[in-house]
Amino acid sequence: AKQTGRSNYQFYTPELDRRIEQALSVEARLRDAIGSDGLELHYQPVIDLKNGKVVGAEALLRLTGAFLDMGPDRFIPIAESAGLIGRLGEWVAIQACQQHVQWLRQGMTMTIAINVSPLQFRQRSFIDRLSEIIADTGMDPRHLEIEVTESAIMENVEDAVRILTRLKALGVKVALDDFGTGYSSLSSLTSLPLDKLKVDQSFVRRIERDEASRTVTEAIIGLGRSLRLNVHGEGIESEDALLYLEEHGCNQAQGYWFSKPLRAAEFTRWYHEQWEK
Ligand code: C2E
Ligand code: CA
Ligand code: CA
Ligand code: CA
């Protein structure tokens, strides 16, 4: 290899080589997966804290086969930089809407939430494609919730307001995900057409151990309630965390304490067991 300078040369470590190689093979795999059956949605139950019943599901993307244990935290960024996030996001929306329609036919009433990456959120075609998918699948948009992270919104609040306003015009619900980590200004928060705040897991998971996390959690719940938003706690892993959120006025909850994300068939079973309790 040609040596153009010591600092350049140092970047090419075996570790970096491995990472680039892996990213490239993940990229190739993602390309294949979209057209074949290499992708799967898992569904994590969302619980209403008023009655303890399941009222929703968050769809979480999984790769099947060779990259089975690679989580979306790893492969979504690769999809973004490979220009695949638009198609991946469409696949998720179609799949989730079809599943919801099927569940509704079986008498399962609930909302379904999908995650939208910051890049996908700002793509020109995003709203039009979503609108088509809703029409094509026969999805009732009032039961569809779009999760966008706080940091994606705060990147450019003016643009975000425009996009969110168009989203709301489709009749869907909008949730601000990972809330509490993205340095929102309070004034911009009031200008956003939102339905829900999802308190970031990093606070919820430390509720029992860490007073600062309790303080932040309470502040977020208070903020959400005063803006008349639903407040949703995620990452609930213990009964104590659940009781704490309940007591402090949180509306909805999600976490391993209730259930991990499940395959569609497992979710169906879980749902019925819950309602029969
Ligand atoms: P997120 O949207 O914050 O999703 C919640 C993550 O926390 C999920 O991880 C879920 O399995 C995990 N989780 C839920 N309850 C608990 C708990 O009690 N304890 C712990 N330790 N973890 C819990 P997952 O499925 O690995 O997804 C990671 C992230 O990848 C998601 O974070 C989301 O940002 C992104 N993601 C997942 N699916 C999609 C997708 O279809 N599209 C896009 N753009 N992003 C996705
Ligand atoms: Ca989410
Ligand atoms: Ca989250
Ligand atoms: Ca996250």
Side-chain angles (χ1 to χ4, degrees), residues 201-215:
Q201 307 199 16
S202 58
F203 307 117
V204 177
R205 276 153 64 190
R206 288 198 299 257
I207 277 177
E208 296 120 295
R209 288 175 270 139
D210 177 26
E211 166 143 30
S213 295
R214 286 193 292 275
T215 308

Side-chain angles (χ1 to χ4, degrees), residues 2-119:
K2 201 161 75 178
Q3 236 176 295
T4 50
R6 191 168 167 76
S7 58
N8 277 350
Y9 182 77
Q10 278 182 332
F11 283 118
Y12 296 97
T13 62
E15 166 62 12
L16 185 60
D17 261 5
R18 258 198 309 281
R19 301 203 59 145
I20 291 171
E21 214 165 274
Q22 202 194 17
L24 289 175
S25 71
V26 173
E27 182 185 328
R29 170 85 182 131
L30 282 171
R31 259 179 229 289
D32 282 359
I34 296 169
S36 60
D37 54 359
L39 300 172
E40 200 169 73
L41 286 184
H42 288 195
Y43 299 91
Q44 190 175 31
V46 174
I47 309 298
D48 186 341
L49 291 180
K50 272 202 308 288
N51 57 12
K53 296 297 190 188
V54 49
V55 290
E58 176 176 6
L60 294 158
L61 188 57
R62 298 289 181 264
L63 291 178
T64 62
F67 291 96
L68 202 57
D69 19 311
M70 179 178 286
D73 275 333
R74 297 257 335 264
F75 68 74
I76 294 285
I78 296 174
E80 287 190 322
S81 56
L84 292 170
I85 195 64
R87 281 163 65 208
L88 211 60
E90 280 180 19
W91 185 91
V92 169
I94 293 168
Q95 193 68 23
C97 288
Q98 283 175 344
Q99 184 62 65
H100 186 274
V101 168
Q102 197 182 321
W103 274 335
L104 193 60
R105 274 201 211 106
Q106 298 171 26
M108 293 163 65
T109 51
M110 58 178 173
T111 57
I112 201 154
I114 58 174
N115 291 284
V116 170
S117 93
L119 213 69

